[in-house]
Amino acid sequence: MVGFGLVATVAATTTGALTFREARTGVLQQSQDAVIRQLRTQVSERAPELGFPPDQPALQRFASDVAATEGQGHWRVLVTFRELSAASITGDRFEELTPAVREAVGSSRATVFQRVRRDGRTSLVVGMSVAFDAPDGRQTLSGVRVFLVVAQTTEQAYVDALVTAVERALVPALVLAVALALLAARGVLLPVRALRQATRSIAQGRLDTRLAVNGSDELADLSHTFNETAAALEASVAELREMEARARRFAADVSHELRTPLAAMSAVTDVLDEDAARLDPDTATAVRLISEETVKLARLVDDLMEMSRFDAGAAVLHLDEIDLAESVRRTLAARGWSETVQTDLPPPDTLRGRVDPRRLDVVVANLVGNALRHGARPVLVRLHARDTAGAERLAVIEVRDSGPGIPDDVLPHVFERFYKSDSARTRSEGSGLGLSITAENVRMHAGTVRAANHPAGGALFTVEIPLRRDNVPEENRT
């Protein structure tokens, strides 16, 4: 809007200045042409009466006669011939007559004129040489030169009046131009602002946002294009969401349907495991293989069910205030890792917080199990508290192994679903969902989990969970 206002102001000012200039030039040009024509006429009529070579009295009469032709007495005439000069007004020094005019008149047959401003007044100075008709019919310069000085008082009054008129007209013109410019700017800015707000609304997920299309200009075309784009995006997103929902339902349904036969298979494999020692070696090997694969399949189904609950938003936290160190000890003991995994835990009841015990158990178990499977022993689990700059207290769980670490190109993907760093390792004990489930459980606690390589070697996973309940998202509480 400032730009529109400046353009309008410059345009109005420039128009006023050009109008004044043209009008001033017209006034002065008309006056100048009239004076030059009249001077030429008078000099041509009286030149034959001037004897040659003229004397001082003749020059004086010639100057007086030429000046007298202007009835109001505004003309001041100076006539020169070699060293002689005569003025229409005795004692007039003709200070307005510049050397440039004298030289130009002496070297040219043309009439020379110049506007001279002196003491705050503008005068028109005109000079010309008097020519005589020679016997051969050609005109010959006589050496007599006539100079005329006319005060342009009337013309200056016209110009001053014109300046006043332009100044008076310029202010309303500026106001009108600025008002029109602002209206024009408003007409452009309102659709642009509406487009900006609609774009923000689309970015916030309100895909049903549309713009009102008014008129048939470029902005209307832009609004129409935006509406078409938004409609296409809404349809695409709706289709993708439907496909994603079907995929989630499919995974959940398949996992649910597999649980019953898997339960039966697990019971059968348990019985077969007990009798494997009495079977022949080949049959015992097959039984143990079936038992191992059944356990892996059961774990995969459980992981898929858990991920489907995360995707559907059905996973909730069952918060309880517990001793975090004791919870970590129970997790390691329940899986037989107490002697295998080294720990650095605070004393009992020194680090307590409101967390979901089951989900914390999953986080620790997945990280330690991942370190044991893909890293190298010894594996260290460290638990401590850390205060942030915002006076927030965090529980920090660090799981470090002594293996070769995680390749740099793998680090950004370790928490992705079904991601395995070794593409040739198509079969492994893990399902590829453990770290993804860990990340989701930590996120539900409003915490963070990071993977890195320790400077001394080995992979390092760091979990930070706020200990204040206020930091747990409302939708995750129960």
Side-chain angles (χ1 to χ4, degrees):
M1 295 181 72
V2 172
F4 271 99
L6 289 177
V7 169
T9 301
V10 171
T13 305
T14 303
T15 301
L18 292 176
T19 302
F20 166 74
R21 178 182 176 183
E22 292 299 322
R24 175 178 177 274
T25 301
V27 170
L28 296 179
Q29 186 72 35
Q30 182 179 6
S31 171
Q32 166 191 303
D33 293 344
V35 169
I36 292 176
R37 281 197 306 270
Q38 187 175 359
L39 177 63
R40 286 176 176 173
T41 301
Q42 294 303 319
V43 170
S44 298
E45 290 178 353
R46 287 170 171 74
E49 301 174 359
L50 185 62
F52 188 82
D55 54 11
Q56 181 68 31
L59 293 178
Q60 185 65 52
R61 286 194 305 270
F62 188 81
S64 299
D65 292 342
V66 172
T69 58
E70 200 277 321
Q72 297 181 358
H74 292 164
W75 281 19
R76 295 156 51 205
V77 179
L78 173 67
V79 181
T80 65
F81 177 74
R82 297 176 183 173
E83 290 80 12
L84 301 178
S85 64
S88 60
I89 300 176
T90 305
D92 194 341
R93 302 179 59 182
F94 286 88
E95 295 178 350
E96 298 88 349
L97 189 59
T98 62
V101 174
R102 292 178 182 271
E103 182 178 355
V105 171
S107 59
S108 174
R109 292 175 177 266
T111 302
V112 179
F113 64 90
Q114 183 181 32
R115 292 191 189 94
V116 179
R117 186 168 184 84
R118 186 178 181 84
D119 298 332
R121 294 179 300 175
T122 303
S123 300
L124 176 63
V125 178
V126 182
M128 60 180 297
S129 295
V130 178
F132 290 96
D133 292 331
D136 56 1
R138 293 183 300 176
Q139 290 220 333
T140 304
L141 295 179
S142 62
V144 178
R145 298 165 187 172
V146 180
F147 299 96
L148 170 64
V149 178
V150 182
Q152 294 189 307
T153 306
T154 303
E155 290 78 2
Q156 186 63 43
Y158 289 155
V159 172
D160 293 340
L162 183 61
V163 170
T164 302
V166 170
E167 289 177 348
R168 291 177 179 176
L170 187 59
V171 174
L174 280 175
V175 174
L176 179 61
V178 171
L180 293 176
L182 294 181
L183 286 176
R186 184 174 181 271
V188 174
L189 292 178
L190 285 181
V192 173
R193 288 174 179 170
L195 179 61
R196 180 182 62 186
Q197 294 174 357
T199 304
R200 290 179 177 175
S201 180
I202 290 288
Q204 293 171 359
R206 294 190 289 271
L207 302 180
D208 58 344
T209 303
R210 299 294 184 272
L211 289 173
V213 181
N214 300 316
S216 58
D217 56 6
E218 290 80 0
L219 290 174
D221 184 62
L222 178 61
S223 299
H224 181 69
T225 304
F226 174 86
N227 290 341
E228 291 180 343
T229 304
L233 178 62
E234 184 179 17
S236 299
V237 171
E239 183 179 358
L240 290 174
R241 288 175 177 172
E242 179 62 25
M243 293 173 61
E244 184 180 7
R246 288 199 300 266
R248 291 174 180 173
R249 288 195 300 270
F250 176 77
D253 292 343
V254 170
S255 301
H256 181 74
E257 293 298 327
L258 287 175
R259 298 191 74 176
T260 301
L262 278 174
M265 291 174 61
S266 297
V268 172
T269 54
D270 289 342
V271 174
L272 291 176
D273 283 341
E274 293 177 359
D275 296 337
R278 295 190 295 271
L279 299 175
D280 60 86
D282 293 339
T283 305
T285 302
V287 167
R288 292 189 182 93
L289 179 61
I290 292 174
S291 178
E292 292 175 0
E293 294 300 323
T294 302
V295 171
K296 293 180 182 179
L297 184 58
R299 185 182 301 116
L300 175 60
V301 170
D302 290 339
D303 290 344
L304 287 174
M305 290 290 293
E306 185 72 4
M307 293 303 300
S308 66
R309 283 191 288 269
F310 287 132
D311 292 339
V316 294
L317 289 176
H318 299 278
L319 298 176
D320 190 13
E321 184 173 346
I322 63 172
D323 182 357
L324 300 183
E326 182 60 27
S327 176
V328 173
R329 292 189 184 95
R330 290 177 180 176
T331 297
L332 299 178
R335 291 160 177 82
W337 294 337
S338 298
E339 302 297 330
T340 306
V341 177
Q342 300 178 4
T343 59
D344 180 7
L345 306 177
D349 289 329
T350 58
L351 183 55
R352 302 182 65 85
R354 288 186 61 81
V355 297
D356 186 329
R358 184 185 71 84
R359 296 190 182 278
L360 181 62
D361 174 79
V362 171
V363 169
V364 176
N366 284 347
L367 292 179
V368 174
N370 183 77
L372 291 173
R373 284 192 301 271
H374 305 298
R377 301 180 183 182
V379 173
L380 173 65
V381 178
R382 182 169 178 259
L383 172 66
H384 63 280
R386 181 171 67 85
D387 294 327
T388 65
E392 184 181 45
R393 191 169 176 82
L394 301 177
V396 181
I397 303 173
E398 296 177 351
V399 178
R400 176 192 169 194
D401 62 56
S402 302
I406 305 174
D408 293 338
D409 60 332
V410 175
L411 276 175
H413 309 286
V414 292
F415 295 106
E416 295 179 4
R417 300 178 183 182
F418 298 106
Y419 183 82
K420 297 181 180 181
S421 59
D422 186 0
S423 58
R425 184 172 49 86
T426 57
R427 295 286 296 165
S428 66
E429 296 181 6
S431 64
L433 291 174
L435 293 180
S436 299
I437 293 175
T438 298
E440 291 291 340
N441 282 317
V442 173
R443 181 192 60 79
M444 291 186 66
H445 286 85
T448 59
V449 57
R450 301 187 303 274
N453 289 314
H454 195 275
L460 174 64
F461 288 84
T462 303
V463 176
E464 295 181 347
I465 299 177
L467 294 178
R468 294 190 303 175
R469 187 184 179 190
D470 294 343
N471 288 328
V472 178
E474 186 69 28
E475 64 271 15
N476 293 337
R477 298 178 186 173
T478 182

